Amino acid sequence: MEVQVLSPEVIQDTESAPTPLGAVPTDRIDSTFGSTCIDLTSSSLDSSILAFSDEWFAPASNLTNPQPPIRRPGYFVPTGAWYDGWETRRHNPEPYDWVIIKLGVASGKVKGIEVDTAFFDGNHAEAVEVHGCFDVQEDADAKVVKKDYTGWRQVLGHRRCGASQRHAWKADDESEVTHVRLCMFPDGGIARFRLYGQVVPVFPKSREQEVELSSALMGGMVLSGSEEHFGSSKSNLLLPGRGVDMGGGWETRRSRVQGHVDWVIVRLGARGKVKRIVVDTAFYRGNYPQAMKVDAFDGEEETPTAEDARWKEVVGMQRLGPDQEHEYAGKSLSNVDEAAYTHLKMTIVPDGGVKRFRVFGTRL
């Protein structure tokens, strides 16, 4: 596979002093990016690894796994010790190893970058750089992997990395991108790569065409929720598909208090009129909620709280069943005929797991 060469204007010398500009402390990474961004390169959004310089010890595809990295001490594969990440061979003759990733969304504005070297100690990447490009031509994927492609620009300048830890920085350039290139100096291992940003959706030309307004692919965002105890992120609710097991949804702890409910607030990708709502309990069989209701809110410049008195009921309390899609449309909906909304709130009773929450409609 070809080794890509960057111009002197783009690459900084690997021996230069580290640049702490925009660094985000480890304990603030989730709070800094969690409520305003999504991981644009997550494999759960169907991102693609288009090319890489090397993956001798561990595949580059691990970089975009949405799950936290794990360790299996003492477990070996034909190439050596097993690692949950991307690891290249030693003694790289080039300045860096690289991997090119196509975003899982049409395009996105980059806000931050995370490089996690979890469990790589003594074989971790010493430094990274990240470059992006915006190319929506039909042959874009073929072009960006070529050695002579000139469309790259620096999203994150040279940053040093340490062993077995999460590193994050605010982006140097927040421009819109469709592809990114992670450069690892000089070689070694990285467990996870996260590109935090905001989706720039491509909507149908006709505003009368129904779209999934809540989808992460359309810019939908989970703003807040009561909790996500089992490590199952509430943001999973807006992912495409129905997942492959119980792990890819939102599940709350068992409640022991009379009258308890859990809730999640979603900001739609565009203000619109609600036509259908789907609540999917796929794979949740003994732990699905007993019931749920949906309320809606209109306010593009606002972030409503769960207690805001202006929420309007669009789906009254409905019983749920295990491992199935529940669709509400027509007479099952209220307060939707003459109204448009920007946010929806799903309340589950009393607790449990939901795989997907989908809101379909037409944008205004």
Side-chain angles (χ1 to χ4, degrees):
M1 189 168 291
E2 292 180 301
V3 174
Q4 298 210 342
V5 178
L6 300 181
S7 65
E9 291 76 17
V10 175
I11 287 193
Q12 300 179 17
D13 187 86
T14 60
E15 299 301 320
S16 62
T19 305
L21 180 66
V24 178
T26 300
D27 61 354
R28 297 181 185 175
I29 295 175
D30 295 334
S31 61
T32 299
F33 301 114
S35 63
T36 59
C37 302
I38 66 170
D39 178 9
L40 300 170
T41 56
S42 172
S43 60
S44 61
L45 295 176
D46 296 327
S47 61
S48 303
I49 303 292
L50 297 183
F52 48 82
S53 58
D54 183 70
E55 57 174 6
W56 177 261
F57 289 110
S61 58
N62 286 333
L63 288 169
T64 59
N65 184 343
Q67 299 302 316
I70 61 173
R71 188 184 181 200
R72 299 180 68 180
Y75 181 72
F76 287 81
V77 293
T79 55
W82 181 90
Y83 277 90
D84 186 9
W86 171 47
E87 186 181 5
T88 63
R89 70 189 80 198
R90 295 181 185 229
H91 315 307
N92 184 12
E94 301 297 330
Y96 57 88
D97 279 313
W98 53 268
V99 58
I100 295 175
I101 306 172
K102 180 181 181 179
L103 272 57
V105 298
S107 66
K109 291 185 177 180
V110 182
K111 299 296 182 181
I113 292 94
E114 178 182 347
V115 172
D116 187 352
T117 57
F119 310 119
F120 286 98
D121 188 349
N123 56 348
H124 59 279
E126 290 187 357
V128 297
E129 288 184 14
V130 180
H131 309 99
C133 68
F134 181 83
D135 197 326
V136 293
Q137 301 299 315
E138 289 186 4
D139 61 346
D141 292 354
K143 287 193 302 181
V144 300
V145 301
K146 291 182 177 179
K147 180 179 179 179
D148 59 354
Y149 183 68
T150 59
W152 297 112
R153 63 178 180 273
Q154 194 173 81
V155 173
L156 182 74
H158 203 79
R159 300 293 196 276
R160 294 269 185 195
C161 296
S164 194
Q165 59 186 286
R166 296 175 70 187
H167 312 75
W169 308 269
K170 293 183 179 179
D172 296 341
D173 184 339
E174 296 187 357
S175 300
E176 192 175 341
V177 301
T178 55
H179 303 74
V180 290
R181 174 173 54 188
L182 169 64
C183 299
M184 173 171 64
F185 295 83
D187 50 44
I190 295 173
R192 296 290 188 269
F193 172 70
R194 313 287 190 211
L195 189 76
Y196 296 115
Q198 296 167 352
V199 176
V200 180
V202 177
F203 289 106
K205 291 182 179 180
S206 172
R207 291 181 177 267
E208 298 302 314
Q209 183 174 335
E210 185 179 281
V211 296
E212 188 177 345
L213 296 170
S214 59
S215 172
L217 300 179
M218 293 290 106
M221 283 281 300
V222 174
L223 299 183
S224 58
S226 54
E227 61 130 301
E228 47 188 16
H229 180 73
F230 289 100
S232 51
S233 172
K234 51 189 177 289
S235 296
N236 290 339
L237 289 166
L238 309 185
L239 294 177
R242 301 187 69 204
V244 296
D245 55 34
M246 196 189 299
W250 172 54
E251 184 179 2
T252 64
R253 75 185 75 197
R254 298 185 188 215
S255 59
R256 307 300 187 188
V257 179
Q258 186 72 25
H260 177 86
V261 299
D262 283 313
W263 53 269
V264 64
I265 294 175
V266 173
R267 186 190 68 207
L268 302 179
R271 182 171 182 263
K273 301 189 70 172
V274 176
K275 301 295 184 182
R276 289 189 296 132
I277 294 175
V278 175
V279 177
D280 189 357
T281 56
F283 302 102
Y284 291 101
R285 300 183 179 96
N287 51 351
Y288 59 94
Q290 291 181 340
M292 72 88 217
K293 67 187 292 287
V294 180
D295 298 282
F297 179 93
D298 186 29
E300 290 187 294
E301 303 301 322
E302 299 186 64
T303 303
T305 65
E307 297 78 20
D308 197 300
R310 292 171 293 174
W311 288 104
K312 295 182 179 180
E313 183 177 276
V314 293
V315 178
M317 195 65 69
Q318 303 285 329
R319 293 198 66 83
L320 296 178
D323 194 17
Q324 61 186 282
E325 291 183 300
H326 307 75
E327 181 169 326
Y328 308 97
K331 294 182 179 179
S332 297
L333 301 177
S334 59
N335 296 312
V336 298
D337 291 339
E338 304 299 328
Y341 297 107
T342 56
H343 300 72
L344 274 81
K345 178 180 67 171
M346 177 176 64
T347 303
I348 60 173
V349 181
D351 52 50
V354 176
K355 178 55 66 69
R356 298 289 184 264
F357 177 60
R358 307 191 190 283
V359 182
F360 296 87
T362 54
R363 66 190 180 97
L364 298 182

